[in-house]
Amino acid sequence: QKEVEQNSGPLSVPEGAIASLNCTYSDRVSQSFFWYRQYSGKSPELIMSIYSNGDKEDGRFTAQLNKASQYVSLLIRDSQPSDSATYLCAVNIGTDTGGFKTIFGAGTRLFVKA
Amino acid sequence: EAQVTQNPRYLITVTGKKLTVTCSQNMNHEYMSWYRQDPGLGLRQIYYSMNVEVTDKGDVPEGYKVSRKEKRNFPLILESPSPNQTSLYFCASSFAGRRSGANVLTFGAGSRLTVL
């Protein structure tokens, strides 16, 4: 089982709709979770971080975390064509040496149709 | 401007010719990491470093070396490149620990490497 799993998509939604992106992770003690957006040919950039169970909202974006189910999601409300990108779920996993490493899912490609 | 700088951005080389991809950050971040990105496989971690002189293997370290002699620099070394190391490489950095914004990665612009 991969440490962080996402549906690769593509996910296609019409402009103005809600896009729902999902991610599951395998490490039960993970404490930090992130969503990054990557436009084609560009580097990833942070959209949301979430550290505790529940919802976290920032503008049109809502991250949801359920540690018991090892599940994190990203909702994009009022989707715009400019939201078309690959969305990467990332999880921090503790290491035996007391540090951490950030593991990414393979990403979900989102297309927002005008 | 706070940033992570990678060089070169593009490189075409031949099998076996040693090369180094440099990475430098100006944010005083403790944590630095190298990833490779391949179609359908997402970002896979090669090596990471929690601080100066502290490095550890990620998920795909074979064929790569790193060093962290200074806090700001984290070069990626390919001693004998092979065609399967053709990829897009990203360097990233972050604060470590529990401060606000910790563990949020800032990425470099990427280095596209082709090994013939």
Side-chain angles (χ1 to χ4, degrees):
Chain A
Q1 182 189 3
K2 292 182 180 178
E3 291 174 296
V4 181
E5 295 207 52
Q6 299 179 249
N7 288 328
S8 60
L11 173 65
S12 184
V13 299
E15 185 175 358
I18 295 175
S20 178
L21 305 163
N22 304 314
C23 172
T24 58
Y25 60 94
S26 60
D27 186 82
R28 288 192 168 275
V29 298
S30 296
Q31 296 295 321
S32 305
F33 307 87
F34 309 90
W35 283 99
Y36 289 82
R37 177 176 64 198
Q38 185 178 25
Y39 291 113
S40 180
K42 301 294 185 182
S43 54
E45 56 181 349
L46 182 76
I47 296 294
M48 295 282 286
S49 58
I50 186 166
Y51 304 99
S52 54
N53 278 330
D55 295 359
K56 178 181 178 183
E57 186 174 319
D58 184 1
R60 296 187 295 112
F61 299 94
T62 299
Q64 300 174 315
L65 175 61
N66 184 324
K67 290 185 180 180
S69 300
Q70 295 174 246
Y71 175 90
V72 58
S73 66
L74 179 70
L75 299 177
I76 306 174
R77 290 181 300 281
D78 188 24
S79 296
Q80 301 297 309
S82 58
D83 294 326
S84 298
T86 296
Y87 289 81
L88 303 167
C89 174
V91 177
N92 275 11
I93 296 175
T95 66
D96 295 338
T97 53
F100 70 91
K101 55 182 182 178
T102 304
I103 303 298
F104 285 81
T108 299
R109 292 193 68 186
L110 172 66
F111 291 103
V112 180
K113 299 172 293 185
Chain B
E1 178 187 358
Q3 59 186 1
V4 178
T5 303
Q6 295 179 229
N7 281 297
R9 292 288 317 281
Y10 302 91
L11 179 63
I12 300 174
T13 189
V14 296
T15 298
K17 186 176 181 180
K18 180 180 177 179
L19 68 92
T20 299
V21 186
T22 63
C23 175
S24 180
Q25 51 92 6
N26 62 0
M27 295 165 282
N28 202 33
H29 285 167
E30 297 91 358
Y31 183 89
M32 297 186 75
S33 182
W34 277 102
Y35 293 88
R36 62 178 288 175
Q37 187 171 39
D38 303 289
L41 296 177
L43 283 163
R44 293 182 293 167
Q45 193 171 43
I46 303 171
Y47 270 95
Y48 64 97
S49 170
M50 292 298 298
N51 214 322
V52 176
E53 302 291 2
V54 181
T55 64
D56 209 346
K57 295 177 181 179
D59 294 321
V60 289
E62 295 79 17
Y64 304 95
K65 286 176 57 177
V66 294
S67 67
R68 188 92 181 271
K69 294 183 171 60
E70 303 166 286
K71 195 172 187 179
R72 64 183 292 124
N73 296 323
F74 191 45
L76 179 69
I77 303 160
L78 286 73
E79 293 272 2
S80 183
S82 62
N84 65 11
Q85 292 178 297
T86 293
S87 188
L88 177 60
Y89 291 86
F90 287 104
C91 181
S93 70
S94 76
F95 289 116
R98 296 181 180 276
R99 77 186 83 181
S100 176
N103 312 152
V104 173
L105 292 172
T106 299
F107 284 83
S111 296
R112 186 167 292 282
L113 171 64
T114 301
V115 183
L116 302 175

